[in-house]
Amino acid sequence: MESHINSYITLVATSAVLNVFLCLYTYVRRAEIPSSKIFILYTAALSVYTFGYAIELASNTLEQMKFWTVVEYIGMPFSASLGLMLMMQYTGKTLSKKASAALFVIPSITLFMVATNDFHHLFYKRVWLREDSSVPLMDIAVGQWYVVHGAFTFSCLLCACLILVGQWKHTKKMYRRQLLTLITSQIIPMVAAFVYLLGLTPGGMDPVPVLMCITSAMYIWAILSSRLLTIVPIAKDSIFESMREGVIVLDSSNRLVDYNKSLRDMLPELDFSMVGQPLNDVWLSLAGETFPVEYGREGLQTDLYWQLNGETVCYQVRTSYVYNKEGQAVGTLIMLIDITAQRFLQEQLKQLAYFDGLTKIYNRTQFLLRGREILSEAQLNLRPTAFILFDIDHFKRINDTYGHDVGDQAIIHVVSVCNRYLNSEMLFARYGGEEFVIAVPNASLQDGEQLAEKLRVALLNDPLEVQGTRIPLTSSFGVAQYNGGSDSLESLLRDADTALYESKRNGRNTVFAHAVSLG
């Protein structure tokens, strides 16, 4: 019998040590664990209970055993209430402050009853040393309040178990291992306590403290294998999965906690095995780079471009914090909204507003806007700027002879040839019909003439070919220069137009420059 008691004491002490480990682990990682306060109190209560019971079994006198029994009850009755609150918080259910306080009324009375039992015998009717045992063991006769305490403890365990079982069908497969661990942690002490009360345990020993060794080991295994407590399902599945927007849920350490079906459609390479990894590591494996958008602050709104099925898509990224009921940030919610169609429409509207629909170069409106900016910069820096105006010679004849489709091709061809000789600093636009305009920053009148001549020769030497027919294209050019005066863009374009008119009067396919006006 003595060897059996020693083995029993060892198992109970081991259970106590495991609970202390869980308590300390949770305290150290409390910033990462949403339910840290309750779990710390829960494991602390179990530690007091199991250590007290181990020392009670090792005691030699009845008075020592009674003392350590009181110590046990500092933890044991409260662990049932804390366990129920922990399971409720895990499943997203909340209690009011009054309801939470009510859960500790009976445990507090129980502790008082045990501590003062010698005066009223309402918890234990009688306590004595077992006569047929080779080692000192305490036997009890239960009193009225013991029944109340037992019923309350059993009810807490049963309620917690039912809450967890009810959550099963609403829990994703990747979290069911966590849930099963929690359900088992409630079933084991509940069944053990029931068997003990029926007097069916070997030697009449309380099996609950010993079996706590198993449940504590299960907690540790679940923490290490499925990140129990540090990774918990904080999003509501029924709403979460039905959202059209892709949602990423991160914990306080920016690790991937959860994501919904819409995000899986957006990012097919995403896998459940990535849950628990930092978002930057996840994105590195998906895209070869860390997450390209800043997500560490609330209220961020920006665009993210992504390749999906060989096409570029655009997602608007919005971030917000996830708060617990104490108002503390426990994670981050990143929402990805597919705005590809919207961005495509905006790009089309931009093209219509800024660019010529046929040639894809700037239109007249944008040239006037940007041309004024170039002129203002020239006035500020006291540098010259050349303006070139030109059109296609005999364009009406091309339309009348070959049709308007060929006329459009001619305009496109002219733009294509000119683009070979223009750089990004030059502003090139379709001014209207077959007429074009170029602004050349930091260029004198002579520089403008040279560029115009280069374009004229290039167009002359590169006729348009349509279905085997070579159609010669020539252009007439007029050049004007801003040289430090008070000229406006409109007056400079009039000067260039005057020079263009002189070019047409002199037989077309020529370059004329307007005389420089000194300010």
Side-chain angles (χ1 to χ4, degrees):
M1 180 66 177
E2 184 174 354
S3 62
H4 292 154
I5 292 296
N6 288 337
S7 299
Y8 201 83
I9 292 172
T10 301
L11 288 173
V12 175
T14 301
S15 177
V17 170
L18 291 177
N19 278 299
V20 169
F21 168 79
L22 285 170
C23 183
L24 294 175
Y25 173 87
T26 308
Y27 178 78
V28 172
R29 303 286 296 276
R30 62 190 182 279
E32 305 171 16
I33 300 175
S35 306
S36 60
K37 290 182 180 179
I38 294 179
F39 195 73
I40 289 169
L41 293 173
Y42 177 63
T43 51
L46 292 177
S47 300
V48 172
Y49 168 42
T50 47
F51 264 125
Y53 189 67
I55 298 174
E56 177 202 324
L57 292 175
S59 299
N60 295 318
T61 66
L62 183 61
E63 289 303 316
Q64 289 177 347
M65 294 177 186
K66 289 165 64 176
F67 172 79
W68 288 108
T69 298
V70 174
V71 173
E72 290 174 45
Y73 277 81
I74 294 175
M76 191 263 282
F78 298 97
S79 67
S81 301
L82 290 166
L84 176 58
M85 292 177 65
L86 181 66
M87 303 313 153
M88 291 184 69
Q89 192 169 86
Y90 179 86
T91 55
K93 296 175 176 61
T94 57
L95 286 174
S96 64
K97 290 184 178 180
K98 288 184 179 180
S100 299
L103 281 176
F104 295 96
V105 173
I106 291 180
S108 299
I109 295 174
T110 297
L111 176 59
F112 176 78
M113 289 292 188
V114 174
T116 60
N117 189 70
D118 288 343
F119 300 99
H120 48 71
H121 301 289
L122 292 175
F123 196 80
Y124 299 130
K125 286 183 179 180
R126 193 164 65 92
V127 180
W128 69 93
L129 287 177
R130 191 176 299 179
E131 295 179 355
D132 58 349
S133 175
S134 59
V135 294
L137 288 176
M138 187 175 75
D139 261 342
I140 61 169
V142 301
Q144 295 93 322
W145 191 261
Y146 189 98
V147 176
V148 175
H149 155 71
F152 175 79
T153 301
F154 186 85
S155 298
C156 285
L157 292 170
L158 180 61
C159 285
C161 186
L162 292 176
I163 289 170
L164 293 171
V165 170
Q167 191 70 17
W168 183 268
K169 65 179 180 179
H170 303 295
T171 301
K172 292 183 178 179
K173 289 183 179 180
M174 64 180 178
Y175 288 117
R176 285 184 175 177
R177 185 164 57 175
Q178 289 188 13
L179 194 59
L180 183 61
T181 300
L182 295 174
I183 292 172
T184 306
S185 73
Q186 301 302 301
I187 290 177
I188 288 177
M190 183 171 59
V191 173
F194 186 74
V195 172
Y196 173 63
L197 290 174
L198 292 177
L200 300 177
T201 56
M205 303 293 290
D206 184 356
V208 176
V210 173
L211 294 177
M212 292 302 300
C213 183
I214 299 174
T215 58
S216 299
M218 289 177 62
Y219 273 126
I220 294 172
W221 170 79
I223 287 171
L224 296 177
S225 63
S226 64
R227 294 179 174 87
L228 178 66
L229 300 178
T230 55
I231 301 291
V232 296
I234 60 178
K236 303 295 184 185
D237 288 341
S238 57
I239 301 174
F240 194 54
E241 288 299 328
S242 64
M243 293 178 66
R244 296 178 61 184
E245 297 81 7
V247 180
I248 301 172
V249 184
L250 306 179
D251 66 5
S252 57
S253 298
N254 293 326
R255 294 174 302 182
L256 179 63
V257 171
D258 207 351
Y259 55 88
N260 65 352
K261 180 180 181 300
S262 295
L263 190 80
R264 289 196 297 274
D265 295 337
M266 293 176 176
L267 308 174
E269 300 89 353
L270 199 61
D271 187 77
F272 283 136
S273 62
M274 296 176 178
V275 170
Q277 298 179 21
L279 179 60
N280 280 334
D281 292 350
V282 171
W283 214 262
L284 193 64
S285 63
L286 293 177
E289 61 177 357
T290 56
F291 194 67
V293 173
E294 181 188 356
Y295 54 88
R297 59 188 178 89
E298 189 171 28
L300 176 72
Q301 185 170 312
T302 187
D303 290 351
L304 169 66
Y305 288 88
W306 185 258
Q307 290 295 319
L308 181 63
N309 299 325
E311 297 182 358
T312 301
V313 292
C314 182
Y315 301 129
Q316 185 179 80
V317 181
R318 298 180 184 177
T319 63
S320 62
Y321 290 148
V322 179
Y323 295 93
N324 61 17
K325 61 182 180 181
E326 285 82 24
Q328 299 172 327
V330 295
T332 304
L333 204 67
I334 303 177
M335 186 176 295
L336 274 64
I337 305 169
D338 190 345
I339 56 170
T340 306
Q342 180 182 338
R343 284 290 179 265
F344 180 72
L345 179 60
Q346 288 178 345
E347 190 61 32
Q348 284 183 315
L349 293 174
K350 179 180 176 182
Q351 290 289 331
L352 292 173
Y354 293 176
F355 300 97
D356 174 60
L358 180 64
T359 62
K360 309 307 178 187
I361 60 175
Y362 284 118
N363 58 25
R364 180 191 182 102
T365 302
Q366 278 301 303
F367 178 84
L368 293 175
L369 179 65
R370 295 171 184 264
R372 290 189 182 95
E373 293 175 356
I374 291 174
L375 186 59
S376 295
E377 189 172 343
Q379 291 170 340
L380 183 65
N381 296 321
L382 301 178
R383 291 186 177 181
T385 296
F387 292 90
I388 303 172
L389 203 62
F390 70 98
D391 64 11
I392 303 173
D393 293 334
H394 305 296
F395 184 71
K396 185 177 183 301
R397 186 186 303 170
I398 295 173
N399 276 335
D400 293 343
T401 303
Y402 301 101
H404 288 279
D405 288 345
V406 175
D408 288 345
Q409 292 182 50
I411 290 173
I412 295 171
H413 179 74
V414 167
V415 170
S416 175
V417 172
C418 291
N419 273 330
R420 300 173 196 165
Y421 300 90
L422 304 179
N423 59 44
S424 59
E425 293 181 356
M426 300 176 186
L427 182 63
F428 184 29
R430 185 180 179 187
Y431 202 58
E434 75 278 16
E435 194 170 21
F436 303 89
V437 63
I438 305 170
V440 189
N442 303 321
S444 64
L445 188 65
Q446 184 180 2
D447 294 332
E449 284 185 278
Q450 291 176 353
L451 176 60
E453 180 63 20
K454 190 180 295 184
L455 296 178
R456 185 193 69 78
V457 172
L459 290 170
L460 179 65
N461 294 332
D462 193 350
L464 173 68
E465 290 193 17
V466 180
Q467 297 178 348
T469 302
R470 293 168 65 89
I471 303 173
L473 295 176
T474 62
S475 290
S476 301
F477 293 79
V479 185
Q481 176 200 0
Y482 168 75
N483 193 33
S486 59
D487 293 324
S488 65
L489 178 63
E490 288 75 9
S491 67
L492 290 166
L493 291 175
R494 282 196 300 271
D495 291 343
D497 189 54
T498 301
L500 172 59
Y501 181 72
E502 288 297 322
S503 177
K504 289 180 178 294
R505 286 184 58 189
N506 285 271
R508 293 184 169 81
N509 190 28
T510 57
V511 176
F512 264 73
H514 188 272
V516 178
S517 176
L518 298 176

Short mmCIF file of all heavy atoms in Angstrom, two decimals, residues 129-154:
data_model
loop_
_atom_site.label_atom_id
_atom_site.label_comp_id
_atom_site.label_asym_id
_atom_site.label_seq_id
_atom_site.Cartn_x
_atom_site.Cartn_y
_atom_site.Cartn_z
N LEU A 129 -8.73 9.23 10.55
CA LEU A 129 -7.65 8.48 9.89
C LEU A 129 -8.14 7.07 9.61
O LEU A 129 -8.77 6.43 10.45
CB LEU A 129 -6.41 8.43 10.78
CG LEU A 129 -5.61 9.74 10.90
CD1 LEU A 129 -4.45 9.56 11.86
CD2 LEU A 129 -5.10 10.20 9.54
N ARG A 130 -7.83 6.60 8.42
CA ARG A 130 -8.25 5.25 8.02
C ARG A 130 -7.52 4.22 8.87
O ARG A 130 -6.28 4.22 8.97
CB ARG A 130 -7.95 5.06 6.54
CG ARG A 130 -8.57 3.81 5.93
CD ARG A 130 -8.30 3.74 4.45
NE ARG A 130 -8.89 4.88 3.73
CZ ARG A 130 -8.78 5.06 2.41
NH1 ARG A 130 -8.11 4.16 1.69
NH2 ARG A 130 -9.33 6.11 1.84
N GLU A 131 -8.28 3.30 9.47
CA GLU A 131 -7.70 2.34 10.41
C GLU A 131 -7.05 1.16 9.70
O GLU A 131 -6.10 0.56 10.24
CB GLU A 131 -8.80 1.82 11.35
CG GLU A 131 -9.36 2.92 12.25
CD GLU A 131 -10.46 2.40 13.15
OE1 GLU A 131 -10.83 1.20 13.00
OE2 GLU A 131 -10.96 3.17 13.98
N ASP A 132 -7.51 0.78 8.51
CA ASP A 132 -6.99 -0.41 7.85
C ASP A 132 -5.85 -0.10 6.89
O ASP A 132 -5.52 -0.89 6.00
CB ASP A 132 -8.11 -1.11 7.09
CG ASP A 132 -8.77 -0.19 6.06
OD1 ASP A 132 -8.50 1.03 6.11
OD2 ASP A 132 -9.54 -0.69 5.21
N SER A 133 -5.23 1.07 7.00
CA SER A 133 -4.17 1.48 6.09
C SER A 133 -2.83 1.49 6.81
O SER A 133 -2.73 1.87 7.98
CB SER A 133 -4.45 2.88 5.53
OG SER A 133 -3.39 3.33 4.76
N SER A 134 -1.79 1.03 6.08
CA SER A 134 -0.45 1.00 6.66
C SER A 134 0.19 2.36 6.68
O SER A 134 1.22 2.58 7.32
CB SER A 134 0.43 0.02 5.87
OG SER A 134 0.51 0.42 4.49
N VAL A 135 -0.39 3.29 5.94
CA VAL A 135 0.11 4.67 5.92
C VAL A 135 -1.05 5.57 6.31
O VAL A 135 -2.22 5.22 6.12
CB VAL A 135 0.65 5.06 4.54
CG1 VAL A 135 1.89 4.25 4.19
CG2 VAL A 135 -0.42 4.88 3.46
N PRO A 136 -0.74 6.76 6.90
CA PRO A 136 -1.83 7.66 7.32
C PRO A 136 -2.63 8.18 6.12
O PRO A 136 -2.08 8.78 5.21
CB PRO A 136 -1.09 8.80 8.03
CG PRO A 136 0.25 8.26 8.36
CD PRO A 136 0.59 7.27 7.29
N LEU A 137 -3.93 7.90 6.13
CA LEU A 137 -4.83 8.40 5.09
C LEU A 137 -6.09 8.92 5.76
O LEU A 137 -6.58 8.34 6.72
CB LEU A 137 -5.20 7.29 4.10
CG LEU A 137 -4.10 6.83 3.14
CD1 LEU A 137 -4.59 5.66 2.29
CD2 LEU A 137 -3.64 7.96 2.23
N MET A 138 -6.62 10.02 5.19
CA MET A 138 -7.79 10.65 5.80
C MET A 138 -9.05 10.18 5.10
O MET A 138 -9.12 10.13 3.87
CB MET A 138 -7.66 12.17 5.68
CG MET A 138 -8.74 12.94 6.43
SD MET A 138 -8.49 14.73 6.38
CE MET A 138 -8.99 15.09 4.69
N ASP A 139 -10.06 9.80 5.91
CA ASP A 139 -11.37 9.47 5.39
C ASP A 139 -12.36 10.55 5.82
O ASP A 139 -12.16 11.22 6.84
CB ASP A 139 -11.84 8.11 5.92
CG ASP A 139 -11.60 7.00 4.90
OD1 ASP A 139 -11.41 7.35 3.71
OD2 ASP A 139 -11.58 5.82 5.28
N ILE A 140 -13.42 10.70 5.00
CA ILE A 140 -14.39 11.76 5.29
C ILE A 140 -15.81 11.23 5.18
O ILE A 140 -16.07 10.24 4.49
CB ILE A 140 -14.23 12.95 4.32
CG1 ILE A 140 -14.47 12.48 2.87
CG2 ILE A 140 -12.88 13.62 4.46
CD1 ILE A 140 -14.61 13.61 1.86
N ALA A 141 -16.71 11.91 5.87
CA ALA A 141 -18.15 11.72 5.69
C ALA A 141 -18.69 13.06 5.21
O ALA A 141 -18.53 14.09 5.89
CB ALA A 141 -18.83 11.30 7.00
N VAL A 142 -19.27 13.08 4.01
CA VAL A 142 -19.63 14.35 3.38
C VAL A 142 -20.79 15.02 4.09
O VAL A 142 -21.70 14.36 4.61
CB VAL A 142 -19.96 14.16 1.90
CG1 VAL A 142 -18.78 13.56 1.15
CG2 VAL A 142 -21.19 13.27 1.72
N GLY A 143 -20.73 16.35 4.15
CA GLY A 143 -21.81 17.14 4.75
C GLY A 143 -22.67 17.78 3.67
O GLY A 143 -22.47 17.57 2.46
N GLN A 144 -23.60 18.64 4.13
CA GLN A 144 -24.55 19.24 3.20
C GLN A 144 -23.89 20.13 2.15
O GLN A 144 -24.22 20.09 0.97
CB GLN A 144 -25.61 20.04 3.97
CG GLN A 144 -26.49 19.22 4.87
CD GLN A 144 -25.95 19.15 6.29
OE1 GLN A 144 -24.73 19.06 6.51
NE2 GLN A 144 -26.86 19.19 7.28
N TRP A 145 -22.95 20.97 2.62
CA TRP A 145 -22.33 21.90 1.66
C TRP A 145 -21.41 21.18 0.68
O TRP A 145 -21.20 21.64 -0.44
CB TRP A 145 -21.58 23.01 2.37
CG TRP A 145 -21.18 24.09 1.39
CD1 TRP A 145 -19.98 24.27 0.80
CD2 TRP A 145 -22.06 25.07 0.83
NE1 TRP A 145 -20.02 25.31 -0.08
CE2 TRP A 145 -21.29 25.84 -0.08
CE3 TRP A 145 -23.40 25.40 1.03
CZ2 TRP A 145 -21.82 26.90 -0.81
CZ3 TRP A 145 -23.93 26.46 0.30
CH2 TRP A 145 -23.14 27.19 -0.60
N TYR A 146 -20.86 20.04 1.07
CA TYR A 146 -20.04 19.25 0.16
C TYR A 146 -20.85 18.87 -1.07
O TYR A 146 -20.34 18.90 -2.20
CB TYR A 146 -19.53 17.99 0.86
CG TYR A 146 -18.49 17.21 0.07
CD1 TYR A 146 -17.14 17.37 0.33
CD2 TYR A 146 -18.87 16.33 -0.93
CE1 TYR A 146 -16.19 16.65 -0.40
CE2 TYR A 146 -17.94 15.62 -1.66
CZ TYR A 146 -16.59 15.79 -1.40
OH TYR A 146 -15.64 15.10 -2.12
N VAL A 147 -22.14 18.55 -0.86
CA VAL A 147 -23.02 18.19 -1.98
C VAL A 147 -23.24 19.41 -2.89
O VAL A 147 -23.19 19.31 -4.12
CB VAL A 147 -24.38 17.67 -1.47
CG1 VAL A 147 -25.32 17.40 -2.63
CG2 VAL A 147 -24.17 16.41 -0.63
N VAL A 148 -23.45 20.58 -2.26
CA VAL A 148 -23.62 21.80 -3.06
C VAL A 148 -22.37 22.09 -3.87
O VAL A 148 -22.43 22.38 -5.07
CB VAL A 148 -23.95 23.00 -2.14
CG1 VAL A 148 -24.00 24.30 -2.95
CG2 VAL A 148 -25.25 22.77 -1.41
N HIS A 149 -21.22 21.98 -3.20
CA HIS A 149 -19.94 22.23 -3.87
C HIS A 149 -19.73 21.24 -5.02
O HIS A 149 -19.33 21.62 -6.12
CB HIS A 149 -18.79 22.10 -2.85
CG HIS A 149 -17.48 21.74 -3.47
ND1 HIS A 149 -16.75 22.61 -4.24
CD2 HIS A 149 -16.77 20.57 -3.43
CE1 HIS A 149 -15.64 22.00 -4.65
NE2 HIS A 149 -15.63 20.77 -4.18
N GLY A 150 -20.00 19.97 -4.77
CA GLY A 150 -19.83 18.96 -5.81
C GLY A 150 -20.73 19.20 -7.00
O GLY A 150 -20.32 19.07 -8.16
N ALA A 151 -21.98 19.55 -6.72
CA ALA A 151 -22.93 19.81 -7.81
C ALA A 151 -22.50 21.02 -8.63
O ALA A 151 -22.60 21.03 -9.87
CB ALA A 151 -24.32 20.03 -7.24
N PHE A 152 -22.01 22.06 -7.94
CA PHE A 152 -21.57 23.26 -8.64
C PHE A 152 -20.36 22.95 -9.52
O PHE A 152 -20.31 23.36 -10.70
CB PHE A 152 -21.23 24.35 -7.63
CG PHE A 152 -20.64 25.60 -8.27
CD1 PHE A 152 -21.44 26.53 -8.89
CD2 PHE A 152 -19.26 25.81 -8.25
CE1 PHE A 152 -20.90 27.65 -9.49
CE2 PHE A 152 -18.71 26.93 -8.84
CZ PHE A 152 -19.54 27.86 -9.46
N THR A 153 -19.39 22.25 -8.99
CA THR A 153 -18.18 21.92 -9.75
C THR A 153 -18.52 21.08 -10.97
O THR A 153 -18.04 21.33 -12.08
CB THR A 153 -17.17 21.17 -8.86
OG1 THR A 153 -16.84 21.99 -7.73
CG2 THR A 153 -15.90 20.82 -9.62
N PHE A 154 -19.37 20.05 -10.75
CA PHE A 154 -19.77 19.19 -11.85
C PHE A 154 -20.52 20.00 -12.92
O PHE A 154 -20.32 19.80 -14.12
CB PHE A 154 -20.65 18.06 -11.33
CG PHE A 154 -20.99 17.03 -12.36
CD1 PHE A 154 -20.12 15.99 -12.63
CD2 PHE A 154 -22.18 17.11 -13.08
CE1 PHE A 154 -20.43 15.03 -13.59
CE2 PHE A 154 -22.49 16.17 -14.04
CZ PHE A 154 -21.62 15.11 -14.30
#
